[in-house]
DNA sequence: GGCGAGTATTTCAAAGTTGAACAATATCTG
DNA sequence: CAGATATTGTTCAACTTTGAAATACTCGCC
């Protein structure tokens, strides 16, 4: 049998493999779309929101970005006119980030290329069984982690 | 059936779940051991090498760190006397990073706490089947990614 | 209505990361 | 062996991220 220290081995493979995968995805995304994974995800999450519009705080939570980081990134995207800022209609403390048409176009162009990279490097080599386990493991994990948003323990 | 866009859903769960997990592991590691995941892994990888000693380049590759980053990190760890630098015996261009006794002690203290976090947040909720899939998926992924170290395509 | 506690976002300095250029060696080729 | 080419690790400036403090507002309570 395969030496039953399975959990540590699986963890190590997962941890290191993930990092390598993400590095390479980032490298390719930059090469093909001139954008890093962070900004890509800002645009992606925004594009899925009603009206391509979202509160800064919600966006930060969805991306697992610290608040100062999101402010900085949205600033950069604003300079490229991919996103713009609008005061929130309902709360005068609030700011909405809004995806511009240029932002949508940029995403529409980057998205299939990124999807291809993900397939080539990762999904393409997985059978249905593996996909199901991935979904079954990481879906609830994500939910749990979002749940403990700041239960601060 | 469960809406057969399984692959994108699994990818999204994995990608977002991973990020959230890593954030939280980092937060806890800092809280309990005053170290970030990057430095922890430097010490860990080093501790597994012959004599706690490794060439800068090999260490950088093992960690998926850009070279300048490793230089900077080793500098910081050196200031804390957890690591020291020695010229490589066989190649005069080379430098070895060497784990000090203080470095080993620091790792020995941090490691079980980190392991506990990993269990609590992740491994603890997985059955053997999931562990096996994880190992089966990410082991080869890691190998592939290390293989393409710089096949530059 | 006004005060105090709480929340949303930004700001700022310190720390970290990146990518490209560099200096020192090594290796290869004729 | 000389000269060209490749590799190792460091340096540097530009950029990014972090965490804490500041700012501007909201909300519940008296």
């Amino acid at each position: 049998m395969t030496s039953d220290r399975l959990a540590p081995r699986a963890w190590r493979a997962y941890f290191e493999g993930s990092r390598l995968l993400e590095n390479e995805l980032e490298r390719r995304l930059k090469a093909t779309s001139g954008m890093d994974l962070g900004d890509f995800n800002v645009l992606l999450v925004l594009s899925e929101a009603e009206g391509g519009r979202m509160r800064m705080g919600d966006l930060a939570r969805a991306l697992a970005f610290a608040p100062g980081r999101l402010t900085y990134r949205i600033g950069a995207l604003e300079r490229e006119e991919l996103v713009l800022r609008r005061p929130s209609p309902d709360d005068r403390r609030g700011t909405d980030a809004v995806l511009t048409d240029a932002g949508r176009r940029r995403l529409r162009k980057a998205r299939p290329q990124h999807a291809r990279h993900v397939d080539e490097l990762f999904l393409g080599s997985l059978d249905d069984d593996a996909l199901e386990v991935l979904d079954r493991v990481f879906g609830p994990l994500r939910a749990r982690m979002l749940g403990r948003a700041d239960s601060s323990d």
Side-chain angles (χ1 to χ4, degrees), chain A residues 9-149:
Chain A
R9 205 179 59 223
W11 169 253
R12 199 65 174 266
Y14 157 69
F15 186 79
E16 298 181 5
S18 293
R19 166 150 310 164
L20 289 163
L21 173 59
E22 193 166 325
N23 282 182
E24 180 63 14
L25 284 174
E26 177 122 29
R27 205 179 65 70
R28 292 192 181 194
L29 184 61
K30 271 180 191 148
T32 60
S33 309
M35 211 184 332
D36 68 18
L37 229 30
D39 286 352
F40 177 84
N41 283 116
V42 171
L43 299 186
L44 180 62
V45 170
L46 221 37
S47 80
E48 289 167 344
E50 285 277 324
R53 186 172 181 131
M54 219 186 281
R55 285 292 291 263
M56 293 295 280
D58 296 338
L59 190 48
R61 265 184 298 280
L63 294 161
F65 275 19
R69 178 178 180 184
L70 185 62
T71 293
Y72 180 75
R73 288 292 73 221
I74 291 292
L77 291 170
E78 213 174 10
R79 265 169 253 119
E80 295 189 75
E81 316 203 15
L82 302 176
V83 159
L84 52 82
R85 261 185 252 246
R86 287 278 169 245
S88 295
D90 45 320
D91 182 339
R92 292 202 306 177
R93 289 168 304 183
T95 305
D96 289 8
V98 190
L99 193 57
T100 63
D101 288 348
R104 271 184 218 285
R105 282 195 298 276
R106 198 75 133 55
L107 180 62
R108 194 161 53 234
K109 189 132 186 269
R111 202 171 174 168
Q113 318 205 64
H114 180 59
R116 197 164 48 67
H117 303 154
V118 171
D119 274 9
E120 281 178 21
L121 294 171
F122 189 60
L123 294 179
S125 69
L126 303 188
D127 52 30
D128 275 14
D129 191 39
L131 286 174
E132 224 147 273
V133 170
L134 234 53
D135 190 44
R136 174 161 74 68
V137 163
F138 288 95
L141 169 67
R142 172 180 52 185
R144 275 198 315 277
M145 300 304 282
L146 286 172
R148 3 173 321 101

